[in-house]
Amino acid sequence: GLENIVVGYGEQEPGNLSNPKSATPMQQPSNQTQLMYWTAIRPASGERFHCAIDSPAFQNEAFMQRLRLSPEEVRERSSRRDFAKRWSAFLRPTDRLVVLHPSTATLLHQLQPDAQPPLILKAINVSINTGTDIASSKCFPSHHGKTSNSRAEERLNIAIERVASLNLAFRKTQ
């Protein structure tokens, strides 16, 4: 059920020059950009996960302005190894991770190649006629929207609304 859904979003370092259409996500070159910030939520309970991952990109002022991550959100940074441990500890065996884009799945796969692949919302092609502005409040009453003004938080909330809208659309077909 929805209590097992975890919605995640990650920011990558600048400079990804690979063409996503030219290679499948798991076959891209190893010198590609890396995950530098990960945020996730279990929308049914509101439980959250945030982690800034060591990266020289945090020194790039223009890039940081684009990401809109506050100094508090990135002050404490983890190594890639510590991130993987923390993320594994957050996930429960029955959880199902959901992300918006294949590129997000690829970033996470770089750090956890043996993990179950996430569901990719962009790959689900259905027309949804539910009120998306209220879908998450119907499906996830404990979710109260944005807790930050970051781009990551904004995109995480888009994914949460998509999950809720898909759930409501599926319920209508039952």
Side-chain angles (χ1 to χ4, degrees), residues 18-111:
S18 65
N19 180 353
K21 294 186 181 7
S22 70
T24 60
M26 304 312 170
Q27 296 173 332
Q28 291 183 358
S30 60
N31 63 352
Q32 67 186 15
T33 58
Q34 303 293 316
L35 183 67
M36 62 181 279
Y37 183 79
W38 183 256
T39 185
I41 186 170
R42 206 174 262 111
S45 69
E47 187 179 358
R48 290 183 165 266
F49 178 94
H50 303 280
C51 187
I53 303 162
D54 287 336
S55 170
F58 287 110
Q59 310 326 311
N60 181 333
E61 203 172 307
F63 186 64
M64 291 306 294
Q65 286 178 353
R66 182 172 154 234
L67 298 184
R68 300 188 314 267
L69 288 165
S70 72
E72 294 78 29
E73 290 172 295
V74 299
R75 183 171 292 126
E76 292 184 32
R77 299 181 197 140
S78 295
S79 68
R80 292 165 56 80
R81 177 188 225 155
D82 287 344
F83 162 78
K85 285 181 190 174
R86 286 184 54 210
W87 178 238
S88 292
F90 178 81
L91 291 174
R92 299 175 188 146
T94 56
D95 281 345
R96 193 65 171 119
L97 178 62
V98 178
V99 299
L100 272 177
H101 300 283
S103 59
T104 306
T106 300
L107 289 170
L108 201 54
H109 178 77
Q110 291 171 0
L111 295 175

Side-chain angles (χ1 to χ4, degrees), residues 94-147:
T94 56
D95 281 345
R96 193 65 171 119
L97 178 62
V98 178
V99 299
L100 272 177
H101 300 283
S103 59
T104 306
T106 300
L107 289 170
L108 201 54
H109 178 77
Q110 291 171 0
L111 295 175
Q112 295 192 309
D114 298 327
Q116 179 183 31
L119 296 173
I120 299 170
L121 291 170
K122 198 108 179 172
I124 302 171
N125 190 13
V126 295
S127 83
I128 299 171
N129 294 337
T130 61
T132 57
D133 54 333
I134 59 166
S136 70
S137 63
K138 284 183 179 178
C139 292
F140 307 120
S142 65
H143 176 63
H144 301 293
K146 289 171 63 168
T147 59

